[in-house]
Amino acid sequence: MKNFFQKNGIMMLAAVTVVAVLLCVASALSSQTGFLQNAGGVIASPFRAVGSAVSGWFSSISQRFEDVEALQQENADLKKENAELQRQLDQTKIDSEENQRLRNLLNLRQQRRDFTFESAIIVDRSTSNWSRVMTLNKGTSSGIAVGNCVVDDQGNLVGVIREAGLNWSTITTILDTDSSLGARVFRTGEVTVAMGDLALMETGRLKLSYLEGESSLINGDLIVTSGLGGYYPSQLVIGSVEEIRTDDNGLTRYAVLAPKTDLDSLSEVFVITSFDTVD
């Protein structure tokens, strides 16, 4: 087939040319249009078709660019709208959390009318192998003093004020190894001591020591401050019993307490600057 076109291509081209000329002559004889005009039309027709195709192609490309720009603008508008909706959602969450905090505080104040509270913001945290300390943005000028108990917005014990300056103070948290509080088993009234423990502190737990020999303590028991001696307020929730263990000497038992407050998530606390003592 290839050889056929190579040998006969010139003859075929000549034949096509003769046919074209004859068509032009026939067209000229059968109409009022001149021969040269028809011949020009025949020759120009393919070029007009090509020109029309090229023009259509450029128009299509131009339309595509316009469509892309429109989609890009629409995408930008959607991103902006999404960002605004996300901002509103975040603000709604913040407002909801603030409302819940205020409701908790109001409830706390109503439940413990014997307390005077001073709110404070946690501005720093210090954590080491043996201590858990927080720094507050208020101090003695706000009525805060060493020995004041500190609670969260639900009344759970956070710790005790260790140092107090004019506009700052530090908290020894209930997990700190220096922490030791008179405690009571809410269910039975058994008096014990809740204290920080070096080994337990790493797991976010504290120790309940000096259990009675016939103690009926069970897992889940709620532990609160005893208030005995008038040094600390009574009925502040410390935590709940998670596990009961026996000391290494095998003679005494102690309990592992899980704090009720989440020390890591706190940003604001409430210092009890005065309270009614328990006789």
Side-chain angles (χ1 to χ4, degrees), residues 222-239:
L222 189 67
I223 308 301
V224 299
T225 54
S226 66
L228 297 178
Y231 193 60
Y232 298 127
S234 63
Q235 302 298 314
L236 298 179
V237 177
I238 301 173

Side-chain angles (χ1 to χ4, degrees), residues 11-80:
M11 295 179 64
M12 293 177 65
L13 180 61
V16 170
T17 303
V18 170
V19 170
V21 170
L22 291 175
L23 290 174
C24 289
V25 171
S27 177
L29 294 176
S30 62
S31 67
Q32 301 300 320
T33 306
F35 171 76
L36 292 178
Q37 186 175 355
N38 274 281
V42 171
I43 295 172
S45 179
F47 294 98
R48 286 197 296 268
V50 171
S52 176
V54 171
S55 176
W57 181 78
F58 275 110
S59 297
S60 176
I61 292 298
S62 177
Q63 184 61 45
R64 289 183 182 179
F65 276 116
E66 291 178 0
D67 291 343
V68 169
E69 291 178 354
L71 288 174
Q72 289 176 337
Q73 182 60 46
E74 182 180 358
N75 187 49
D77 293 340
L78 288 174
K79 286 183 176 179
K80 184 177 179 180

Side-chain angles (χ1 to χ4, degrees), residues 143-174:
I144 295 174
V146 172
N148 289 160
C149 281
V150 183
V151 298
D152 62 16
D153 60 2
Q154 298 184 51
N156 300 315
L157 186 62
V158 174
V160 178
I161 297 295
R162 181 171 72 175
E163 297 178 294
L166 186 64
N167 60 353
W168 61 270
S169 54
T170 59
I171 306 171
T172 296
T173 69
I174 55 177

Side-chain angles (χ1 to χ4, degrees), residues 177-220:
T177 54
D178 289 335
S179 175
S180 181
L181 301 159
R184 187 190 301 273
V185 181
F186 186 77
R187 179 176 60 87
T188 65
E190 178 182 350
V191 176
T192 61
V193 176
M195 60 178 62
D197 181 84
L198 184 61
L200 295 175
M201 184 173 60
E202 296 180 356
T203 62
R205 301 295 185 264
L206 63 155
K207 187 176 185 179
L208 188 67
S209 299
Y210 303 108
L211 299 179
E212 297 175 358
E214 301 297 327
S215 175
S216 60
L217 190 70
I218 59 175
N219 289 350

Side-chain angles (χ1 to χ4, degrees), residues 7 38 68 76 83 113 119 122-123 174 195 198 224 244 266 270:
K7 293 178 180 180
N38 274 281
V68 169
R113 297 180 183 275
S119 64
I122 299 172
V123 295
I174 55 177
M195 60 178 62
L198 184 61
V224 299
I244 301 173
L266 291 176
F270 301 90

